């Protein structure tokens, strides 16, 4: 089944404890992206990647890192999480860099205490 | 900076009634516009994608129109069903780079 998977789905952590949210797609998509969704602010792009080893900042990249060593994986790294990074995170992928439907993962709900 | 607005923020209709959801955007230089559905606690599911050169797209009971010059799109859902209850999001893609700018969504409740 074609899908985007994220792990973990739910995470409670404490300020400053490094964490990684994994994202994997099995559709051989070139483009992958991370969004966060917050009440009243909607969905905002954090980082995106047009292909392996090619990443760039979205609208709200501060406090996040990403890597794209393989085509299928696009992990989101929070080196030192803070409470303002409490949010619902979505990974998405699409076949090409533009003009195509984006496929979203199920989301990761993160709470930083 | 592109801004996308969806009005109303919430909508409640009786089963069988047609739904009309509105989306407006400030910059008409878009590559495409997409409509998504989001169920509580779940990810987004793509419903329709309208390329900038198109005026509308249809899929089953769903029809989306696009008027780029006025910066508007409308999603019509015919003969609504309780299973249509969800939040509907529109998003526009810039001319390059596949960055999506999302509206705030319209939360729809279809009452049996």
């Amino acid at each position: 089944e074609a899908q985007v998977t994220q792990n973990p789905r739910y995470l409670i952590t404490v300020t400053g404890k490094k964490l990684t949210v994994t994202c994997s797609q099995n559709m051989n998509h070139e483009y992958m992206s991370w969004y966060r969704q917050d009440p009243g602010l909607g969905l905002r792009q954090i980082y995106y990647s047009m292909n392996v080893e090619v990443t760039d900042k979205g609208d709200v990249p501060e406090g996040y890192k990403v890597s794209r060593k393989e085509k299928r994986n696009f992990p989101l790294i929070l080196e030192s999480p803070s409470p303002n990074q409490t949010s619902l995170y979505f990974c998405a992928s699409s076949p090409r860099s533009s003009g195509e439907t984006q496929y979203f993962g199920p989301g990761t709900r993160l709470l930083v205490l | 900076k592109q801004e996308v607005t969806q009005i109303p923020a919430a909508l409640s209709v009786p089963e069988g009634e047609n739904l009309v959801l509105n989306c407006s955007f400030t910059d008409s230089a878009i590559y495409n516009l997409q409509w998504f559905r989001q169920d509580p606690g779940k990810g987004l599911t793509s419903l329709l994608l309208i390329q900038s050169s198109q005026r509308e797209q249809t899929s089953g009971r769903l029809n989306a129109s696009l008027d780029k010059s006025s910066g508007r799109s409308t999603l019509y859902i015919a003969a609504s069903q309780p299973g249509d209850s969800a939040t509907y999001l529109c998003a526009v893609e810039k001319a390059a780079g596949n960055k999506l700018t999302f509206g705030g969504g319209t939360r729809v409740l279809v009452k049996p």
Side-chain angles (χ1 to χ4, degrees):
Chain A
E1 179 190 354
Q3 59 183 355
V4 179
T5 56
Q6 295 179 227
N7 282 293
R9 293 290 314 280
Y10 304 91
L11 180 60
I12 301 174
T13 190
V14 295
T15 298
K17 186 176 181 182
K18 181 179 178 180
L19 66 92
T20 299
V21 183
T22 65
C23 172
S24 183
Q25 50 91 6
N26 62 2
M27 297 169 278
N28 201 36
H29 285 172
E30 289 184 357
Y31 182 92
M32 298 186 74
S33 179
W34 276 102
Y35 296 87
R36 61 178 289 176
Q37 186 176 35
D38 302 288
L41 296 174
L43 273 144
R44 295 174 293 168
Q45 190 181 53
I46 304 171
Y47 268 96
Y48 64 95
S49 169
M50 292 202 179
N51 215 323
V52 176
E53 302 291 3
V54 181
T55 63
D56 209 345
K57 298 176 180 178
D59 292 324
V60 288
E62 295 78 20
Y64 304 95
K65 287 175 61 176
V66 292
S67 68
R68 187 90 182 273
K69 294 186 172 62
E70 308 164 283
K71 201 171 189 178
R72 64 183 293 129
N73 296 323
F74 190 45
L76 179 69
I77 303 156
L78 284 71
E79 294 270 359
S80 183
S82 62
N84 65 12
Q85 292 179 298
T86 292
S87 187
L88 179 58
Y89 291 87
F90 290 103
C91 180
S93 73
S94 67
R96 295 184 297 114
S97 61
S98 62
E100 302 267 0
T101 297
Q102 291 201 17
Y103 297 83
F104 281 75
T108 295
R109 191 169 290 279
L110 172 65
L111 173 61
V112 182
L113 300 173
Chain B
K1 179 185 174 185
Q2 178 74 273
E3 291 183 4
V4 182
T5 304
Q6 291 184 250
I7 295 174
L11 185 59
S12 178
V13 299
E15 183 177 1
E17 192 166 299
N18 295 334
L19 283 164
V20 180
L21 307 179
N22 297 304
C23 172
S24 61
F25 46 94
T26 54
D27 185 351
S28 61
I30 64 170
Y31 206 74
N32 62 49
L33 183 143
Q34 300 181 43
W35 282 94
F36 294 89
R37 168 185 173 137
Q38 184 175 24
D39 293 284
K42 296 191 177 179
L44 281 68
T45 301
S46 179
L47 298 174
L48 291 167
L49 183 152
I50 313 176
Q51 302 289 357
S52 62
S53 58
Q54 296 176 315
R55 298 282 293 182
E56 67 176 347
Q57 276 287 345
T58 299
S59 176
R61 293 185 295 113
L62 276 60
N63 174 275
S65 65
L66 174 64
D67 184 343
K68 237 177 54 164
S69 60
S70 67
R72 293 182 182 179
S73 176
T74 303
L75 178 66
Y76 300 90
I77 302 177
S80 62
Q81 304 168 358
D84 294 328
S85 298
T87 296
Y88 292 84
L89 296 152
C90 72
V92 298
E93 182 181 350
K94 283 172 62 174
N98 213 9
K99 170 182 153 59
L100 289 179
T101 302
F102 283 84
T106 295
R107 189 166 64 250
V108 170
L109 176 63
V110 180
K111 297 178 181 177

